Amino acid sequence: MSVDLSRRAILVGAGPVGLVTALALARESIHVTLVGETSEGASGRTLALFDDSIRFLEELGVWQGISNQAAPLRRLRIIDDTNNLFRWRPLMFDAAEIGLDAFGWNIESGALNVALRRIAESSPAIHVIDGSAAAPYFEEDRAGCNIAGERLEAALIVAADGQRSKLRESAGISARLERLPQWALTGIFEHQLPHEDISTEFHTREGPCTLVPLASPDQSHGRPQVSSLVWMVRSARARALRRLDDEAFSLAVERCTHSILGKMQLTGPRGAVPLSIAHVASISATRLALVGEAAHAFPPIGAQGLNLGLRDAATLAALAGEALRKGEDIGAADVLEAYEDARASDVATRSAAVNLMNRSLLSHFPPSDVARGLGMAALDLIGPLRRFVMREGVAPGFGR
Ligand SMILES: Cc1cc2nc3c(=O)[nH]c(=O)nc-3n(C[C@H](O)[C@H](O)[C@H](O)COP(=O)(O)OP(=O)(O)OC[C@H]3O[C@@H](n4cnc5c(N)ncnc54)[C@H](O)[C@@H]3O)c2cc1C
């Protein structure tokens, strides 16, 4: 393999994880060809990013330009709204209790994507191509694919092509997409009462209905306060809610959230996504690394998905950068094995925790209600456990 090829990566998929991975690899002096289109995301969707993700985006020079569009999440409230006999009182987690100013920040996904794309396009080490990658192949000493009719080769291909990843399939990694009986409905709302920087999750029998602060009056120039919604509901209810006009939908959201923020008014487009879990056997193969939803996908509970994907990006870039500094090949088997090992526990524990929480809400099985009630009681009453869970929620090993 020529020296040039050994420091070259092809990154497929220009969603948020692909863009961040490209920037992180470029920072390690790796030449990246990034292929894909970036959605400006007019789906009323926002992303809550935890403290370590924000620091990573700062290191990449991204956050500085968009932080004024994000709102802090200083407290997280969980309300069991399942009406089960064993439910516990509402839980409140405060970032100050683990020495943080905020657990994280919430930003419109379009604002983040546009900023990432702009920075990637201006990076001399990244060549961005609109379009899609086809006919990938993976060999012992190189990998490649066709992009816009041209054949490109590199030492490493990174698949950031989402939960239905074609690259994953082409490399023979076994994966199963399990359709959930739920959808997530999204939107951005102005509301009458202050959110006080608190994100509130109502745990219902159909999944969580979450309101996340997006702007307060000082940020939104005199407009009322603004929050975003992620509302998980069963498919039949999703169909009914999607048929409502904006006013009726706003009222449905206000009812589901027990008017905790007073009158709600939708301020833009609404989104609706069917939910799935991706069961992926491995996150690497010969000369291929999976990142983001190509590697793991689960329902949007506890704002874990993108945060996990950004940790994939940081880990992969650090390992590839280390190989390059040692004069080694960035796509060699030992680099990819180290990536797989480094990410296994974080990916497995987050996926399991989110899926377990979702299943326990959907189930009407009393032992599962008891377990959830006991879990909430323990978090409420046992300070060290609560602080441990808060730290782990923000990042694995955070603050240890
Ligand atoms: C309602 C909702 C709310 C969420 N909220 C949060 C949150 O608050 N915090 C959080 O951390 N996470 C959240 N998530 C999860 C988060 O949105 C995902 O983890 C994240 O968007 C995954 O990004 P990605 O880049 O891996 O995949 P995607 O965003 O799916 O991007 C994949 C990209 O690859 C492209 N592509 C596919 N095939 C090819 C090809 N052959 N060639 C080129 N391009 C290709 C696609 O067009 C797409 O642009 C939420 C998810 C949902 C559904």
Side-chain angles (χ1 to χ4, degrees):
M1 176 184 296
S2 73
V3 177
D4 246 356
L5 197 63
S6 74
R7 64 188 310 152
R8 200 179 297 156
I10 298 172
L11 219 148
V12 180
V17 177
L19 288 160
V20 168
T21 311
L23 293 173
L25 290 170
R27 189 173 60 143
E28 299 288 346
S29 307
I30 292 164
H31 291 264
V32 182
T33 301
L34 170 64
V35 51
E37 279 154 28
T38 301
S39 151
E40 293 188 8
S43 56
R45 192 172 328 164
T46 64
L47 293 160
L49 294 170
F50 291 131
D51 187 67
D52 69 327
S53 298
I54 301 294
R55 277 185 274 132
F56 183 41
L57 291 176
E58 269 169 3
E59 283 166 28
L60 296 175
V62 176
W63 192 248
Q64 295 80 338
I66 49 174
S67 60
N68 62 350
Q69 297 175 60
L73 312 179
R74 299 194 204 279
R75 283 181 290 166
L76 307 178
R77 175 167 46 200
I78 297 181
I79 298 174
D80 187 334
D81 197 19
T82 56
N83 276 331
N84 87 73
L85 282 177
F86 312 99
R87 70 182 183 281
W88 192 251
R89 64 182 177 219
L91 283 187
M92 183 73 93
F93 299 96
D94 191 332
E97 216 187 315
I98 53 168
L100 289 177
D101 179 35
F103 288 111
W105 296 74
N106 190 33
I107 187 161
E108 278 192 58
S109 69
L112 178 66
N113 284 350
V114 167
L116 288 169
R117 177 83 183 201
R118 187 174 37 75
I119 296 170
E121 281 173 349
S122 62
S123 165
I126 304 177
H127 177 209
V128 184
I129 305 177
D130 268 331
S132 85
Y137 56 91
F138 307 94
E139 290 169 4
E140 274 312 303
D141 67 338
R142 67 193 56 220
C145 59
N146 290 340
I147 302 173
E150 207 186 315
R151 189 176 157 105
L152 281 188
E153 289 197 323
L156 173 68
I157 296 193
V158 183
D161 53 348
Q163 49 182 265
R164 294 181 184 279
S165 172
K166 283 274 181 286
L167 273 111
R168 185 179 67 202
E169 193 184 322
S170 307
I173 296 177
S174 101
R176 182 171 62 86
L177 216 54
E178 175 190 342
R179 257 312 283 281
L180 290 171
Q182 296 147 292
W183 285 58
L185 307 182
T186 56
I188 294 172
F189 295 81
E190 290 184 353
H191 46 83
Q192 195 184 8
L193 300 176
H195 52 55
E196 296 174 318
D197 303 332
I198 302 173
S199 175
T200 306
E201 272 184 26
F202 292 86
H203 285 188
T204 81
R205 282 287 182 212
E206 301 196 37
C209 175
T210 308
L211 291 172
V212 194
L214 187 56
S216 42
D218 50 327
Q219 288 173 300
S220 54
H221 310 291
R223 282 191 327 167
Q225 300 225 337
V226 181
S227 292
S228 58
L229 168 80
V230 179
W231 188 3
M232 286 174 54
V233 284
R234 286 192 179 269
S235 309
R237 180 119 181 267
R239 276 194 295 279
L241 287 166
R242 290 174 74 192
R243 282 197 292 268
L244 297 179
D245 64 24
D246 288 354
E247 203 177 319
F249 183 65
S250 301
L251 189 60
V253 172
E254 186 185 328
R255 287 203 177 120
C256 180
T257 55
H258 301 282
S259 299
I260 201 165
L261 298 179
K263 187 173 163 48
M264 311 287 294
Q265 193 183 344
L266 188 78
T267 63
R270 285 144 66 169
V273 224
L275 298 175
S276 303
I277 299 174
H279 302 275
V280 180
S282 166
I283 60 165
S284 66
T286 304
R287 299 213 169 263
L288 176 71
L290 311 182
V291 290
E293 290 215 332
H296 41 73
F298 43 71
I301 300 178
Q304 295 295 327
L306 180 57
N307 287 288
L308 192 60
L310 297 191
R311 295 200 289 276
D312 299 339
T315 305
L316 181 64
L319 291 167
E322 193 185 328
L324 192 65
R325 279 189 295 281
K326 288 194 212 147
E328 293 165 8
D329 171 353
I330 62 167
D334 58 342
V335 174
L336 290 163
E337 270 162 32
Y339 172 65
E340 180 101 35
D341 289 349
R343 297 301 301 134
S345 141
D346 190 15
V347 170
T349 51
R350 305 282 142 173
S351 309
V354 167
N355 294 332
L356 185 67
M357 170 57 81
N358 192 40
R359 291 205 163 100
S360 87
L361 288 172
L362 292 179
S363 135
H364 285 260
F365 188 48
S368 149
D369 286 344
V370 174
R372 210 176 49 255
L374 285 175
M376 284 182 74
L379 288 173
D380 197 9
L381 301 174
I382 308 171
L385 176 68
R386 184 174 58 252
R387 287 186 282 280
F388 173 77
V389 168
M390 282 194 268
R391 290 193 189 101
E392 284 299 310
V394 169
F398 172 82
R400 266 191 230 135

